[in-house]
Amino acid sequence: MRPTDLVSPDSVCASLKATTKKHLLQELSEKAAKICGLPAREIFDALLHRERLGSTGIGEGIAIPHGKLAKLKGIYGVFGRLDRPVDFGSLDGAPVDLVFMILTPESSGADHLKALACAARMLREQGLVATLRGTRDDDALYSLIAQRSKPFAA
């Protein structure tokens, strides 16, 4: 699975304005609703449900919120860079400024885990992460992600 299997140019945002975790999840949900056709509220509820199980902040300023939705027809992702980091309840306590949200159908099984692994592997590349953090343009941000043309193994 490649990062571009998860995100499209329309699902990348280099300037998220959220100031809290809840607001960030709402902003991501609204963006996702436009690309997947489900109501933003359903997406937000799925993300919030998952966050109640434990923070999806993986540390070092990165979060990978995710959720499963019964009505979803495929796997969708939204990648964003926040203008200002927000407290996300990450285990390391670091505020989040990069977020890769993933939505999958309830029946996705292993594909859900493959998508999460793909996002996590991409965001472990320190050079890429530093470049993503310095990018302020949606198209340039997507281009950086698209350069990850090699699929990640599951």
Side-chain angles (χ1 to χ4, degrees):
M1 184 171 289
R2 297 177 175 102
T4 52
D5 294 334
L6 304 172
V7 296
S8 66
D10 292 340
S11 64
V12 172
C13 185
S15 184
L16 294 168
K17 305 294 184 201
T19 57
T20 66
K21 179 178 180 175
K22 183 178 177 182
H23 185 221
L24 175 58
L25 295 175
Q26 288 171 327
E27 196 171 348
L28 293 169
S29 297
E30 289 166 12
K31 185 90 166 163
K34 293 175 183 173
I35 59 171
C36 76
L38 292 182
R41 184 62 198 200
E42 285 182 33
I43 296 167
F44 176 73
D45 288 344
L47 295 173
L48 205 55
H49 174 74
R50 171 56 189 86
E51 289 300 319
R52 286 186 186 120
L53 300 175
S55 177
T56 56
I58 63 171
E60 299 183 24
I62 297 167
I64 306 176
H66 53 278
K68 293 183 176 185
L69 294 127
K71 298 176 188 173
L72 209 56
K73 303 286 187 225
I75 299 175
Y76 295 90
V78 173
F79 183 83
R81 190 196 138 278
L82 285 97
D83 287 338
R84 295 186 181 169
V86 299
D87 178 23
F88 209 83
S90 302
L91 289 177
D92 69 354
V96 164
D97 66 339
L98 293 178
V99 60
F100 199 141
M101 183 193 69
I102 297 170
L103 301 173
T104 59
E106 275 185 356
S107 61
S108 62
D111 286 340
H112 182 81
L113 297 176
K114 287 178 185 177
L116 291 173
C118 176
R121 284 187 185 108
M122 182 187 92
L123 294 170
R124 267 193 257 150
E125 295 180 27
Q126 291 181 352
L128 175 62
V129 167
T131 305
L132 292 170
R133 284 191 165 119
T135 303
R136 304 285 190 270
D137 176 75
D138 293 352
D139 292 334
L141 200 61
Y142 179 77
S143 179
L144 289 167
I145 294 168
Q147 289 173 13
R148 294 293 317 153
S149 60
K150 178 183 166 200
F152 293 111

